């Protein structure tokens, strides 16, 4: 827990968010400024700044994060139409919040390559 980190505060329910899923390791909530009809953020409760800081011991946690994203996609009937999972990392990606998070985006067509 990093008291200066917004997503740590959200994960501890010390800052507000529209939480859609939570277990002992991860939390999923709606993005405050959605870029698509469905835009969820899935975070580990453990503070990890970015993919640049993961290590061998985080393997299971990261797998769990993706698994939960697919469960949420299933729950929202997105499996047929599809969805995009994004992890921005560092300045060129536009990462704004330095607590690792997986974006689950869906509900419209996404261009490729991304802008
Ligand atoms: P990044 O650019 O770091 O990959 O994504 C950060 C995301 O967090 C952005 O999509 C932004 O809209 C979202 N965000 C920023 N502040 C808040 C907040 O206070 N609450 C929620 N729910 N989302 C936030
Ligand atoms: Zn944090």
């Amino acid at each position: 827990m990093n008291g200066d980190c917004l997503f740590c505060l959200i994960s501890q329910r010390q800052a507000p968010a529209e939480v859609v899923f939570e277990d002992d390791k991860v939390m999923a909530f709606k993005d405050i400024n959605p870029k698509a009809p469905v835009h969820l953020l899935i975070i580990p409760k453990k503070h990890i700044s970015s993919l640049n800081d993961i290590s061998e011991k985080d393997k299971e946690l990261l797998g769990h994060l993706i698994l939960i994203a697919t469960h949420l996609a299933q729950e929202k009937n997105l499996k047929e139409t599809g969805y995009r999972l994004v992890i921005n990392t560092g300045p060129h990606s536009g990462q704004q919040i330095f607590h690792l998070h997986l974006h689950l985006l869906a509900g419209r067509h996404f261009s490729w390559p991304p802008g």
Side-chain angles (χ1 to χ4, degrees):
M1 165 75 181
N2 173 348
D4 296 328
C5 169
L6 175 63
F7 285 2
C8 278
L9 292 173
I10 287 177
S11 77
Q12 297 303 307
R13 304 235 181 211
Q14 289 171 23
E18 283 193 66
V19 177
V20 298
F21 177 84
E22 179 178 15
D23 66 15
D24 56 328
K25 295 191 177 59
V26 308
M27 182 182 262
F29 52 90
K30 293 185 182 175
D31 195 292
I32 205 167
N33 180 16
K35 316 300 187 294
V38 177
H39 189 172
L40 300 178
L41 301 173
I42 304 133
I43 66 167
K45 290 188 170 179
K46 173 186 174 184
H47 181 84
I48 303 173
S49 295
S50 81
L51 283 181
N52 289 336
D53 293 309
I54 62 167
S55 67
E56 190 74 15
K57 64 182 188 311
D58 298 314
K59 271 192 328 196
E60 199 175 321
L61 179 59
L62 293 166
H64 185 59
L65 212 62
I66 293 176
L67 200 63
I68 294 301
T70 66
H71 289 167
L72 291 168
Q74 163 109 49
E75 196 178 282
K76 292 184 168 294
N77 289 316
L78 299 172
K79 284 201 162 177
E80 247 175 60
T81 46
Y83 51 92
R84 185 171 287 181
L85 298 182
V86 174
I87 301 179
N88 291 320
T89 306
H92 279 187
S93 75
Q95 183 181 3
Q96 289 173 344
I97 305 270
F98 284 82
H99 177 125
L100 184 69
H101 52 281
L102 186 59
H103 294 259
L104 169 59
L105 295 149
R108 66 172 173 84
H109 184 83
F110 299 107
S111 58
W112 190 263

